[in-house]
Amino acid sequence: MRPTITALAGLVACAFAAPATAATYTIQTSFNAGDFSTQYLTEHWLPRIAEMTGGRVEIALTPNGSVVPAKETPHAVGLGVIDGDWTSVNYFSGLEPAFAILGDLISGYDTPQQMAGFCENGPGEAVWQKALDEVSDGEAHLVGCAPYSREALPARVPIQTFDDLKGKKIRAPEGLASAVFQAAGASPVSIPFSEVYGALEKGIVDAADASAYVNNASTGLNDVARYPLYPGIHSMPSMQLSFNREKWEDLSEADRKALRDWFYMAMADLTRVVAEQDAALAAKDAAAGKVEVIDWAQADRDRLRDVARIEWEKFAAKGPLAKEALDANLAYMKQIGLLK
């Protein structure tokens, strides 16, 4: 008996010593293939998941549209076609009006950190889950939600103050962004993103709702719009990380907590890195005389927020969840001193 017992003891010891077998989850993102964001997360943050879960969980990111169109990801997650999504939820505003409020409260928060706090530490996740339930038949679980950058506003003419918006033709997507610019006295123009460069170059528009400073620079927008507003005054798109509910519930409580912590840590780091790149490039371009960077005074940002608030409330009337989403944002903004 003794040799047998000794052998069994050895097998048990080996079993406990063996590394955990990782379950790999496919997460479709709204990042495009080759984006800086995808590369940075893949290199710096995907390996951290194994560390934080003891090797039990791995994530594979796939680019925008690789499995389903971005606007269909909540349904695909719910059905288990993909294990989860990491998507800018503006894509979902046509499915549920609340996502227009949750995805980009135009001219609302001053920094990505404030908006991330709404989700991580405030009421954001609870109302977000309700909206996600509506578009996934209750079969997708929200892991976390946060933005990672505040978009700049490339302009071919100086827009130094809130009053300078009056009469300016600004390319903006239809919906809340256009409504806010119009209420501020500008004339919103709806043109495809692919036509923004030509519209700025030819003077069809005076400014454009486009992307982060570094992205605008890489696509040449700052070459034809030499007066970028940076940090921007309007858009801060927020993203969600979701999991198929059944697969989420199969994870241990420790691994679920680790993934939520991981998401907010990764987004905070991505925010920091993108902000550093934006700031360094903006300073370099300004020093070279390539652009005149315009940074609005807080008083002008506050005036735009006051105008925007009226438009938020109009949009929130589109549905009960949109109203609940706005009320949650307003309560949190008051709590952190952005609103009185």
Side-chain angles (χ1 to χ4, degrees), residues 54-122:
R56 292 179 295 277
V57 178
E58 291 182 356
I59 283 179
L61 298 181
T62 67
N64 193 0
S66 56
V67 182
V68 296
K71 68 179 182 180
E72 296 178 13
T73 55
H75 190 54
V77 171
L79 291 174
V81 175
I82 49 179
D83 299 321
D85 81 324
W86 192 329
T87 306
S88 173
V89 298
N90 287 321
Y91 285 107
F92 312 151
S93 59
L95 306 175
E96 166 53 59
F99 280 115
I101 301 292
L102 296 169
D104 195 349
L105 194 63
I106 302 294
S107 302
Y109 294 94
D110 281 335
T111 68
Q113 290 83 357
Q114 292 167 341
M115 194 171 180
F118 166 70
C119 277
E120 185 177 13
N121 306 311

Side-chain angles (χ1 to χ4, degrees), residues 12-13 30 36 47 66 100 124 134 140 193 221 227 242 247 259 275 322 335:
V12 170
S30 58
F36 168 81
S66 56
E134 286 294 316
F193 187 84
L221 296 187
Y227 302 93
S242 80
K247 292 178 180 178
L259 279 171
Q335 178 184 329

Side-chain angles (χ1 to χ4, degrees), residues 120-269:
E120 185 177 13
N121 306 311
E125 285 186 359
V127 66
W128 202 297
Q129 183 64 62
K130 290 183 181 181
L132 187 55
D133 286 342
E134 286 294 316
V135 297
S136 70
D137 297 323
E139 294 301 323
H141 176 84
L142 177 72
V143 180
C145 45
Y148 70 90
S149 71
R150 179 154 203 157
E151 294 184 350
L153 187 77
R156 65 190 309 275
V157 296
I159 304 175
Q160 301 280 3
T161 66
F162 172 85
D163 291 327
D164 290 341
L165 285 173
K166 188 173 182 179
K168 299 297 188 297
K169 295 173 292 183
I170 300 180
R171 181 268 175 183
E174 294 180 1
L176 194 53
S178 287
V180 170
F181 280 127
Q182 186 167 13
S187 299
V189 180
S190 179
I191 58 174
F193 187 84
S194 59
E195 298 177 17
V196 168
Y197 181 93
L200 284 167
E201 183 182 38
K202 297 171 184 176
I204 296 172
V205 296
D206 299 305
D209 182 339
S211 187
Y213 186 94
V214 67
N215 292 335
N216 293 339
S218 67
T219 54
L221 296 187
N222 293 342
D223 296 332
V224 294
R226 296 187 58 253
Y227 302 93
L229 276 66
Y230 169 79
I233 60 170
H234 63 306
S235 183
M236 195 189 305
S238 197
M239 308 188 80
Q240 70 172 28
L241 175 62
S242 80
F243 257 65
N244 172 272
R245 183 171 296 280
E246 183 177 349
K247 292 178 180 178
W248 178 256
E249 291 176 351
D250 284 342
L251 295 170
S252 69
E253 183 177 350
D255 287 346
R256 293 196 295 264
K257 180 182 183 305
L259 279 171
R260 182 179 182 271
D261 291 345
W262 172 84
F263 171 78
Y264 284 112
M265 291 166 61
M267 288 298 277
D269 187 43

